[in-house]
Amino acid sequence: MTARRVPTSTYRLQVTPDFDLTRAQDVVEHIRDLGADWVYLSPVLQAEPGSQHGYDVVDHSHVDTERGGDAALRGLAEAAHAAGLGVLVDVVPNHVGVATPEANPWWWSLLEQGQASPVAWAFDVDWEAGDGKVRVPVLDDRLLDAVELRDGRLYVGETAYPTAPGTVQDGDDVETVHARQHYAFVHWKRADHELNYRRFFAVNTLAAIRVEEPEVFAASHDTIGGWFRDGLVDGLRIDHPDGLYDPAVYLQDLADLTGGAYTLVEKILEPGEQLPSSWPVDGTTGYDALGVVDRVFVDPAGEEALTAASGAEPADWQQLTHDTRRGIADGILGSEVARLARLLASTAGDLPQERVVDAVAEIVASFDVYRTYLPEGVHHLIAALERAAETRPDLDDVIDRIAPALVDPGHAAALRLQQTSGMVMAKGVEDTAFYRTSRLSSLSEVGGDPSVFAVSVDDFHQAQRERQGSWPHTTAPASRCSPSSGRSGRAPSSS
């Protein structure tokens, strides 16, 4: 492994089948001339066929062939290093793409063999809730009439699904064969409340993996480790750490794998929230910094006029976001809330299940941060429990009953709650409430609070002093211009 490097600025390249790693080599010197000292690559492991973003990884064993493959990544890394630039790569540890089962060996094996699959441990499936089968929400109103049996496989449209060995016989119809499989096709609308595998937020085609298991970590990170052993990559950007079972443990495993290389996390911090100090990382990808930079350029004198001009601006941002989060918990993330309630069944005792589900939904709607990290962030959880009980006094007895399990770092429900609250926050606030406030659209950037209109120059500088003192190598947005080339570019830059 090479000596540890730290960037002063990075320039992100979206690597696609049309702009692959070979073509990216052609812009290395341009990036250097712009003033950036690292090349920052979007995800490059094998993704869904034709994927433009790369966050739907289907095979961790090699670089995406459509993006140039392993040899092209090596070529780009060598070109970058020859130009004096570091290389940072975006890594997706939480989930894999399952839209095309044939493209994902792990998912294909799971569907074909069920719990007997040698990689069944890789996926976060509640088998009991699905009567021993994985529910696959791909049917429309035609239900099984939309499924065809061809060449020993089941097809929904042109998407193939495997059949378990020995389950297809001459003369079988679709319904008979389907009943023999380790998966069950269901209507897509049932995913919100009856899905039994964890997803990335509410995306059915992104199935979460259990990277907390040593075997899953090793299998999904062996190629990444090789990049560092071979001196190709200098740092990583970790996508969506809040979806992980235990982010701190994962990040320590990653640090051990990379030799403590430069690492950023795509962590959304609410105003005033701090990144857990125990994490072996260099900082965040800069949403928090961007929120302050945005607002120091906003004239507070314009607040009254813009608020009036927006017309239907919500009067109470906290109430609005509570209600939108609750809508998500009751709606598209109902499957996750129901799974949490099942984990609390022994604690809840004889309480009706629907009241436990109601209480869990109210608790996840009451968080003021994306996720609490037990035990160090327990105060956020206690505050959410108190808010939920205050808002819904009729659920006070249920909340009292389940609270001890939720604050116990070793309880399965406490860990599942931590994975769930961030999903509810993201979908309820970013994807819903942000679209209901319109006085100034720049205030509705990820990680921001639209109810905070502006910050003073003094507050801005205080925020930078605190950031420099706590996380000197975290990233923040910056604009760089190269006098020699006359060209300018936008890049996230280390403060």
Side-chain angles (χ1 to χ4, degrees):
M1 295 187 183
T2 58
R4 189 178 196 272
R5 302 178 63 162
V6 175
T8 56
S9 63
T10 67
Y11 193 100
R12 188 180 192 276
L13 297 177
Q14 183 64 43
V15 184
T16 69
D18 294 327
F19 182 78
D20 63 15
L21 291 162
T22 299
R23 290 190 62 189
Q25 295 180 40
D26 297 335
V27 301
V28 165
E29 292 186 4
H30 175 60
I31 291 172
R32 181 196 59 198
D33 291 344
L34 289 174
D37 69 335
W38 277 41
V39 178
Y40 167 11
L41 304 176
S42 61
V44 297
L45 291 176
Q46 186 67 49
E48 287 277 359
S51 172
Q52 293 297 302
H53 51 76
Y55 288 93
D56 44 6
V57 175
V58 295
D59 189 341
H60 299 91
S61 66
H62 59 89
V63 173
D64 194 322
T65 54
E66 292 185 334
R67 288 168 169 77
D70 293 314
L73 176 63
R74 179 175 291 274
L76 174 60
E78 290 174 349
H81 289 154
L85 306 183
V87 178
L88 183 143
V89 178
D90 201 338
V91 167
V92 186
N94 178 66
H95 54 269
V96 293
V98 298
T100 313
E102 279 187 290
N104 188 324
W106 287 5
W107 188 247
W108 186 267
S109 176
L110 183 79
L111 297 181
E112 182 180 51
Q113 302 179 54
Q115 296 179 69
S117 165
V119 292
W121 40 258
F123 294 95
D124 194 352
V125 180
D126 187 344
W127 295 99
E128 185 176 350
D131 297 321
K133 300 189 177 191
V134 182
R135 290 177 178 154
V136 182
V138 293
L139 299 182
D140 57 25
D141 290 343
R142 294 173 295 167
L143 299 179
L144 288 181
D145 288 342
V147 182
E148 294 182 65
L149 176 61
R150 304 199 306 261
D151 301 322
R153 294 178 173 184
L154 292 173
Y155 282 80
V156 180
E158 293 305 311
T159 303
Y161 293 83
T163 55
T167 61
V168 180
Q169 302 171 17
D170 291 341
D172 280 343
D173 58 21
V174 166
E175 186 172 356
T176 299
V177 171
H178 176 253
R180 294 176 182 150
Q181 304 313 311
H182 297 289
Y183 56 89
F185 292 134
V186 298
H187 195 285
W188 64 270
K189 289 183 178 179
R190 292 176 59 184
D192 292 350
H193 294 280
E194 299 176 41
L195 202 66
N196 67 327
Y197 64 88
R198 184 167 60 88
R199 304 168 287 179
F200 171 74
F201 296 108
V203 183
N204 298 337
T205 54
L206 295 176
I209 58 173
R210 301 178 66 227
V211 75
E212 68 273 11
E213 295 295 327
E215 298 91 342
V216 182
F217 179 89
S220 60
H221 286 68
D222 183 60
T223 298
I224 296 167
W227 296 341
F228 288 90
R229 289 191 295 272
D230 294 344
L232 301 179
V233 173
D234 303 290
L236 300 174
R237 178 265 196 193
I238 304 304
D239 181 66
H240 187 46
D242 279 347
L244 302 176
Y245 185 80
D246 191 331
V249 170
Y250 168 78
L251 292 167
Q252 185 57 60
D253 290 343
L254 192 70
D256 294 340
L257 179 74
T258 66
Y262 182 80
T263 302
L264 297 171
V265 287
E266 188 236 358
K267 166 63 186 169
I268 297 172
L269 298 168
E270 291 299 292
E273 183 186 3
Q274 299 297 314
L275 190 66
S277 59
S278 61
W279 288 8
V281 299
D282 291 272
T284 73
T285 50
Y287 297 135
D288 47 324
L290 179 62
V292 179
V293 171
D294 276 346
R295 284 160 178 77
V296 77
F297 289 109
V298 175
D299 186 347
E303 180 171 10
E304 184 177 347
L306 284 173
T307 301
S310 66
E313 192 72 15
D316 187 336
W317 175 250
Q318 295 306 317
Q319 184 63 50
L320 170 66
T321 55
H322 167 273
D323 294 347
T324 53
R325 289 193 296 264
R326 181 62 205 243
I328 294 298
D330 290 337
I332 61 174
L333 290 178
S335 291
E336 293 300 325
V337 171
R339 187 166 180 181
L340 249 173
R342 290 195 296 273
L343 289 172
L344 289 164
S346 60
T347 301
D350 58 356
L351 290 172
Q353 183 72 356
E354 61 270 17
R355 293 193 72 216
V356 179
V357 170
D358 194 4
V360 170
E362 189 60 37
I363 291 167
V364 296
S366 300
F367 275 81
D368 58 2
V369 294
Y370 275 70
R371 172 172 174 159
T372 184
Y373 304 95
L374 298 181
E376 61 186 306
V378 70
H379 58 286
H380 291 300
L381 173 55
I382 292 173
L385 292 167
E386 292 174 345
R387 277 191 290 270
E390 181 179 350
T391 303
R392 292 289 304 278
D394 58 311
L395 293 173
D396 190 58
D397 60 322
V398 185
I399 294 171
D400 279 348
R401 183 82 67 87
I402 65 177
L406 296 178
V407 300
D408 177 0
H411 197 287
L415 289 158
R416 177 72 55 173
L417 176 66
Q418 293 178 71
Q419 291 177 289
T420 304
S421 61
M423 293 192 284
V424 172
M425 176 75 86
K427 302 303 292 184
V429 179
E430 292 171 35
D431 291 2
T432 308
F434 275 8
Y435 292 91
R436 299 182 186 177
T437 176
S438 57
R439 62 180 177 175
L440 189 58
S441 59
S442 64
L443 301 181
S444 293
E445 288 286 347
V446 173
D449 182 341
S451 68
V452 179
F453 188 80
V455 299
S456 68
V457 173
D458 286 345
D459 288 342
F460 170 81
H461 286 299
Q462 180 60 32
Q464 305 321 309
R465 284 191 290 269
E466 292 173 358
R467 184 171 288 110
Q468 180 68 26
S470 300
W471 301 98
H473 302 305
T474 192
T475 53
S479 179
R480 287 187 170 268
C481 180
S482 170
S484 60
S485 67
R487 296 171 294 190
S488 63
R490 294 284 297 178
S493 170
S494 293
S495 299

